[in-house]
Short mmCIF file of all heavy atoms in Angstrom, two decimals:
data_model
loop_
_atom_site.label_atom_id
_atom_site.label_comp_id
_atom_site.label_asym_id
_atom_site.label_seq_id
_atom_site.Cartn_x
_atom_site.Cartn_y
_atom_site.Cartn_z
N VAL A 1102 0.80 -1.22 0.00
CA VAL A 1102 0.00 0.00 0.00
C VAL A 1102 0.84 1.28 0.00
O VAL A 1102 0.39 2.30 -0.51
CB VAL A 1102 -1.01 -0.02 1.17
CG1 VAL A 1102 -0.34 0.28 2.48
CG2 VAL A 1102 -2.15 0.95 0.90
N ASP A 1103 2.03 1.25 0.53
CA ASP A 1103 2.86 2.47 0.55
C ASP A 1103 3.18 2.97 -0.85
O ASP A 1103 3.30 4.17 -1.07
CB ASP A 1103 4.15 2.22 1.33
CG ASP A 1103 3.92 2.19 2.82
OD1 ASP A 1103 3.00 2.89 3.29
OD2 ASP A 1103 4.63 1.45 3.52
N ALA A 1104 3.34 2.06 -1.78
CA ALA A 1104 3.69 2.45 -3.15
C ALA A 1104 2.47 2.50 -4.06
O ALA A 1104 2.61 2.61 -5.28
CB ALA A 1104 4.71 1.47 -3.71
N ALA A 1105 1.27 2.46 -3.51
CA ALA A 1105 0.05 2.38 -4.33
C ALA A 1105 -0.49 3.74 -4.76
O ALA A 1105 -1.54 3.80 -5.39
CB ALA A 1105 -1.03 1.62 -3.57
N ASN A 1106 0.15 4.82 -4.41
CA ASN A 1106 -0.27 6.18 -4.78
C ASN A 1106 -1.68 6.50 -4.30
O ASN A 1106 -2.51 7.02 -5.06
CB ASN A 1106 -0.18 6.39 -6.29
CG ASN A 1106 1.24 6.33 -6.78
OD1 ASN A 1106 2.18 6.67 -6.07
ND2 ASN A 1106 1.42 5.87 -8.00
N LEU A 1107 -1.97 6.20 -3.05
CA LEU A 1107 -3.24 6.58 -2.46
C LEU A 1107 -3.07 7.89 -1.71
O LEU A 1107 -1.96 8.27 -1.33
CB LEU A 1107 -3.71 5.49 -1.48
CG LEU A 1107 -4.01 4.12 -2.07
CD1 LEU A 1107 -4.34 3.14 -0.96
CD2 LEU A 1107 -5.14 4.19 -3.06
N SER A 1108 -4.18 8.58 -1.47
CA SER A 1108 -4.11 9.80 -0.68
C SER A 1108 -3.72 9.43 0.75
O SER A 1108 -3.86 8.28 1.18
CB SER A 1108 -5.46 10.51 -0.70
OG SER A 1108 -6.43 9.74 -0.04
N SER A 1109 -3.25 10.41 1.49
CA SER A 1109 -2.77 10.11 2.84
C SER A 1109 -3.89 9.58 3.74
O SER A 1109 -3.67 8.68 4.55
CB SER A 1109 -2.13 11.35 3.47
OG SER A 1109 -3.08 12.39 3.59
N ARG A 1110 -5.09 10.11 3.58
CA ARG A 1110 -6.22 9.62 4.38
C ARG A 1110 -6.56 8.17 4.03
O ARG A 1110 -6.80 7.34 4.90
CB ARG A 1110 -7.42 10.53 4.16
CG ARG A 1110 -8.59 10.18 5.00
CD ARG A 1110 -9.72 11.16 4.80
NE ARG A 1110 -10.86 10.75 5.58
CZ ARG A 1110 -11.66 11.57 6.20
NH1 ARG A 1110 -11.44 12.86 6.12
NH2 ARG A 1110 -12.68 11.12 6.88
N SER A 1111 -6.58 7.86 2.75
CA SER A 1111 -6.85 6.49 2.32
C SER A 1111 -5.74 5.55 2.75
O SER A 1111 -6.00 4.41 3.14
CB SER A 1111 -7.01 6.42 0.80
OG SER A 1111 -8.12 7.14 0.38
N LEU A 1112 -4.51 6.03 2.69
CA LEU A 1112 -3.37 5.22 3.09
C LEU A 1112 -3.48 4.82 4.57
O LEU A 1112 -3.28 3.65 4.92
CB LEU A 1112 -2.07 5.98 2.84
CG LEU A 1112 -0.78 5.26 3.12
CD1 LEU A 1112 -0.61 4.09 2.17
CD2 LEU A 1112 0.38 6.21 3.00
N ILE A 1113 -3.84 5.78 5.41
CA ILE A 1113 -3.99 5.49 6.84
C ILE A 1113 -5.13 4.51 7.06
O ILE A 1113 -5.00 3.55 7.84
CB ILE A 1113 -4.21 6.81 7.61
CG1 ILE A 1113 -2.94 7.64 7.60
CG2 ILE A 1113 -4.65 6.52 9.04
CD1 ILE A 1113 -3.14 9.06 8.10
N SER A 1114 -6.25 4.70 6.38
CA SER A 1114 -7.40 3.80 6.54
C SER A 1114 -7.07 2.38 6.08
O SER A 1114 -7.42 1.40 6.76
CB SER A 1114 -8.59 4.31 5.73
OG SER A 1114 -8.98 5.58 6.18
N VAL A 1115 -6.40 2.26 4.95
CA VAL A 1115 -6.05 0.94 4.44
C VAL A 1115 -5.06 0.24 5.37
O VAL A 1115 -5.17 -0.96 5.62
CB VAL A 1115 -5.50 1.04 3.00
CG1 VAL A 1115 -4.88 -0.27 2.55
CG2 VAL A 1115 -6.61 1.45 2.05
N LYS A 1116 -4.13 1.00 5.92
CA LYS A 1116 -3.17 0.39 6.85
C LYS A 1116 -3.87 -0.12 8.11
O LYS A 1116 -3.54 -1.19 8.62
CB LYS A 1116 -2.08 1.39 7.23
CG LYS A 1116 -1.03 1.53 6.16
CD LYS A 1116 0.09 2.42 6.64
CE LYS A 1116 1.20 2.47 5.62
NZ LYS A 1116 2.34 3.25 6.09
N TRP A 1117 -4.85 0.63 8.61
CA TRP A 1117 -5.60 0.16 9.78
C TRP A 1117 -6.43 -1.07 9.45
O TRP A 1117 -6.51 -2.01 10.25
CB TRP A 1117 -6.47 1.27 10.35
CG TRP A 1117 -5.71 2.10 11.33
CD1 TRP A 1117 -5.25 3.36 11.15
CD2 TRP A 1117 -5.30 1.70 12.64
NE1 TRP A 1117 -4.58 3.77 12.27
CE2 TRP A 1117 -4.58 2.77 13.20
CE3 TRP A 1117 -5.45 0.53 13.38
CZ2 TRP A 1117 -4.04 2.71 14.47
CZ3 TRP A 1117 -4.89 0.47 14.65
CH2 TRP A 1117 -4.20 1.55 15.18
N LEU A 1118 -7.06 -1.08 8.28
CA LEU A 1118 -7.81 -2.27 7.87
C LEU A 1118 -6.90 -3.49 7.74
O LEU A 1118 -7.26 -4.60 8.10
CB LEU A 1118 -8.54 -2.03 6.55
CG LEU A 1118 -9.88 -1.33 6.63
CD1 LEU A 1118 -10.39 -1.04 5.22
CD2 LEU A 1118 -10.88 -2.18 7.38
N ALA A 1119 -5.69 -3.27 7.22
CA ALA A 1119 -4.74 -4.37 7.08
C ALA A 1119 -4.32 -4.91 8.44
O ALA A 1119 -4.23 -6.12 8.64
CB ALA A 1119 -3.52 -3.90 6.30
N ARG A 1120 -4.09 -4.02 9.38
CA ARG A 1120 -3.73 -4.47 10.74
C ARG A 1120 -4.88 -5.25 11.38
O ARG A 1120 -4.66 -6.25 12.06
CB ARG A 1120 -3.35 -3.28 11.60
CG ARG A 1120 -2.08 -2.61 11.16
CD ARG A 1120 -1.79 -1.36 11.98
NE ARG A 1120 -0.65 -0.66 11.44
CZ ARG A 1120 -0.64 0.63 11.15
NH1 ARG A 1120 -1.72 1.37 11.39
NH2 ARG A 1120 0.43 1.19 10.64
N ILE A 1121 -6.09 -4.79 11.16
CA ILE A 1121 -7.26 -5.50 11.70
C ILE A 1121 -7.39 -6.86 11.03
O ILE A 1121 -7.70 -7.86 11.69
CB ILE A 1121 -8.53 -4.65 11.53
CG1 ILE A 1121 -8.46 -3.42 12.44
CG2 ILE A 1121 -9.78 -5.45 11.83
CD1 ILE A 1121 -9.52 -2.38 12.16
N ALA A 1122 -7.15 -6.93 9.72
CA ALA A 1122 -7.24 -8.21 9.00
C ALA A 1122 -6.22 -9.21 9.52
O ALA A 1122 -6.46 -10.42 9.47
CB ALA A 1122 -7.05 -7.98 7.50
N ILE A 1123 -5.10 -8.73 10.02
CA ILE A 1123 -4.07 -9.62 10.54
C ILE A 1123 -4.51 -10.26 11.85
O ILE A 1123 -4.37 -11.47 12.05
CB ILE A 1123 -2.74 -8.86 10.72
CG1 ILE A 1123 -2.16 -8.49 9.36
CG2 ILE A 1123 -1.74 -9.70 11.53
CD1 ILE A 1123 -1.00 -7.54 9.42
N VAL A 1124 -5.09 -9.49 12.75
CA VAL A 1124 -5.40 -10.02 14.09
C VAL A 1124 -6.85 -10.47 14.26
O VAL A 1124 -7.12 -11.26 15.16
CB VAL A 1124 -5.05 -8.98 15.19
CG1 VAL A 1124 -3.58 -8.67 15.17
CG2 VAL A 1124 -5.87 -7.74 15.06
N PHE A 1125 -7.76 -10.00 13.44
CA PHE A 1125 -9.17 -10.28 13.67
C PHE A 1125 -9.54 -11.76 13.64
O PHE A 1125 -10.26 -12.22 14.53
CB PHE A 1125 -10.06 -9.50 12.69
CG PHE A 1125 -11.52 -9.75 12.89
CD1 PHE A 1125 -12.19 -9.16 13.94
CD2 PHE A 1125 -12.21 -10.61 12.05
CE1 PHE A 1125 -13.54 -9.39 14.14
CE2 PHE A 1125 -13.56 -10.85 12.24
CZ PHE A 1125 -14.22 -10.24 13.29
N PRO A 1126 -9.11 -12.53 12.64
CA PRO A 1126 -9.58 -13.94 12.60
C PRO A 1126 -9.20 -14.74 13.85
O PRO A 1126 -10.02 -15.45 14.41
CB PRO A 1126 -8.90 -14.51 11.35
CG PRO A 1126 -8.59 -13.34 10.51
CD PRO A 1126 -8.34 -12.21 11.45
N ILE A 1127 -7.98 -14.60 14.30
CA ILE A 1127 -7.56 -15.38 15.46
C ILE A 1127 -8.25 -14.87 16.73
O ILE A 1127 -8.65 -15.67 17.58
CB ILE A 1127 -6.03 -15.41 15.60
CG1 ILE A 1127 -5.59 -16.46 16.63
CG2 ILE A 1127 -5.45 -14.07 15.96
CD1 ILE A 1127 -5.80 -17.86 16.21
N LEU A 1128 -8.40 -13.57 16.87
CA LEU A 1128 -9.11 -13.04 18.04
C LEU A 1128 -10.58 -13.43 18.03
O LEU A 1128 -11.15 -13.74 19.08
CB LEU A 1128 -8.96 -11.52 18.12
CG LEU A 1128 -7.57 -11.00 18.46
CD1 LEU A 1128 -7.56 -9.48 18.46
CD2 LEU A 1128 -7.10 -11.53 19.79
N PHE A 1129 -11.19 -13.44 16.87
CA PHE A 1129 -12.60 -13.83 16.76
C PHE A 1129 -12.77 -15.29 17.15
O PHE A 1129 -13.69 -15.64 17.91
CB PHE A 1129 -13.08 -13.58 15.33
CG PHE A 1129 -14.54 -13.82 15.13
CD1 PHE A 1129 -15.47 -12.87 15.53
CD2 PHE A 1129 -15.01 -14.98 14.54
CE1 PHE A 1129 -16.83 -13.08 15.36
CE2 PHE A 1129 -16.35 -15.20 14.35
CZ PHE A 1129 -17.27 -14.25 14.77
N LEU A 1130 -11.90 -16.16 16.64
CA LEU A 1130 -12.01 -17.58 16.98
C LEU A 1130 -11.71 -17.83 18.45
O LEU A 1130 -12.38 -18.64 19.10
CB LEU A 1130 -11.08 -18.40 16.10
CG LEU A 1130 -11.55 -18.60 14.67
CD1 LEU A 1130 -10.53 -19.38 13.87
CD2 LEU A 1130 -12.89 -19.27 14.62
N LEU A 1131 -10.72 -17.15 19.00
CA LEU A 1131 -10.43 -17.31 20.42
C LEU A 1131 -11.62 -16.87 21.28
O LEU A 1131 -11.94 -17.53 22.27
CB LEU A 1131 -9.18 -16.52 20.80
CG LEU A 1131 -7.85 -17.13 20.36
CD1 LEU A 1131 -6.72 -16.17 20.67
CD2 LEU A 1131 -7.63 -18.47 21.00
N THR A 1132 -12.26 -15.79 20.88
CA THR A 1132 -13.44 -15.33 21.62
C THR A 1132 -14.57 -16.36 21.54
O THR A 1132 -15.21 -16.66 22.55
CB THR A 1132 -13.93 -13.99 21.05
OG1 THR A 1132 -12.86 -13.04 21.11
CG2 THR A 1132 -15.11 -13.47 21.82
N LEU A 1133 -14.79 -16.92 20.35
CA LEU A 1133 -15.82 -17.95 20.21
C LEU A 1133 -15.50 -19.18 21.05
O LEU A 1133 -16.38 -19.74 21.70
CB LEU A 1133 -15.98 -18.35 18.74
CG LEU A 1133 -16.68 -17.36 17.84
CD1 LEU A 1133 -16.73 -17.91 16.42
CD2 LEU A 1133 -18.08 -17.04 18.33
N PHE A 1134 -14.25 -19.59 21.04
CA PHE A 1134 -13.88 -20.77 21.82
C PHE A 1134 -14.02 -20.52 23.31
O PHE A 1134 -14.44 -21.39 24.06
CB PHE A 1134 -12.46 -21.22 21.49
CG PHE A 1134 -12.30 -21.78 20.11
CD1 PHE A 1134 -11.14 -21.60 19.38
CD2 PHE A 1134 -13.32 -22.52 19.51
CE1 PHE A 1134 -10.99 -22.12 18.12
CE2 PHE A 1134 -13.20 -23.04 18.25
CZ PHE A 1134 -12.01 -22.85 17.55
N LEU A 1135 -13.69 -19.33 23.76
CA LEU A 1135 -13.84 -19.01 25.17
C LEU A 1135 -15.32 -18.92 25.57
O LEU A 1135 -15.69 -19.31 26.68
CB LEU A 1135 -13.13 -17.70 25.51
CG LEU A 1135 -11.60 -17.78 25.51
CD1 LEU A 1135 -11.02 -16.38 25.70
CD2 LEU A 1135 -11.11 -18.70 26.60
N LEU A 1136 -16.14 -18.39 24.69
CA LEU A 1136 -17.57 -18.26 25.01
C LEU A 1136 -18.30 -19.59 25.00
O LEU A 1136 -19.19 -19.83 25.82
CB LEU A 1136 -18.25 -17.31 24.03
CG LEU A 1136 -17.92 -15.83 24.16
CD1 LEU A 1136 -18.56 -15.05 23.03
CD2 LEU A 1136 -18.38 -15.30 25.51
N PHE A 1137 -17.96 -20.46 24.05
CA PHE A 1137 -18.76 -21.66 23.85
C PHE A 1137 -18.07 -22.96 24.26
O PHE A 1137 -18.59 -24.03 24.00
CB PHE A 1137 -19.18 -21.76 22.38
CG PHE A 1137 -20.05 -20.63 21.95
CD1 PHE A 1137 -19.61 -19.68 21.05
CD2 PHE A 1137 -21.31 -20.48 22.49
CE1 PHE A 1137 -20.41 -18.64 20.65
CE2 PHE A 1137 -22.14 -19.43 22.10
CZ PHE A 1137 -21.68 -18.51 21.18
N SER A 1138 -16.92 -22.91 24.87
CA SER A 1138 -16.27 -24.15 25.29
C SER A 1138 -16.63 -24.44 26.75
O SER A 1138 -16.11 -23.84 27.67
CB SER A 1138 -14.75 -24.02 25.12
OG SER A 1138 -14.26 -23.04 25.99
N LYS A 1139 -17.52 -25.37 26.90
CA LYS A 1139 -17.94 -25.76 28.25
C LYS A 1139 -17.92 -27.25 28.36
O LYS A 1139 -18.17 -28.00 27.51
CB LYS A 1139 -19.33 -25.24 28.57
CG LYS A 1139 -19.34 -23.77 28.77
CD LYS A 1139 -20.74 -23.34 29.19
CE LYS A 1139 -20.73 -21.83 29.40
NZ LYS A 1139 -21.98 -21.35 29.89
#
């Protein structure tokens, strides 16, 4: 994304979405396992 020629606002938004995409699946599954593992 740094070399994609996006505006600075879009660049910041895309970087945050990318960071969320990295951690979200594992955190979501861990939350489900903690809620429903009995």
Side-chain angles (χ1 to χ4, degrees):
V1102 76
D1103 285 329
N1106 295 330
L1107 297 175
S1108 66
S1109 62
R1110 184 177 177 142
S1111 295
L1112 184 66
I1113 291 169
S1114 299
V1115 168
K1116 282 186 175 184
W1117 273 107
L1118 276 174
R1120 292 176 187 130
I1121 292 169
I1123 291 170
V1124 298
F1125 180 77
I1127 192 70
L1128 290 178
F1129 186 78
L1130 285 178
L1131 285 174
T1132 303
L1133 287 179
F1134 291 146
L1135 288 173
L1136 288 175
F1137 297 112
S1138 65
K1139 289 184 180 184

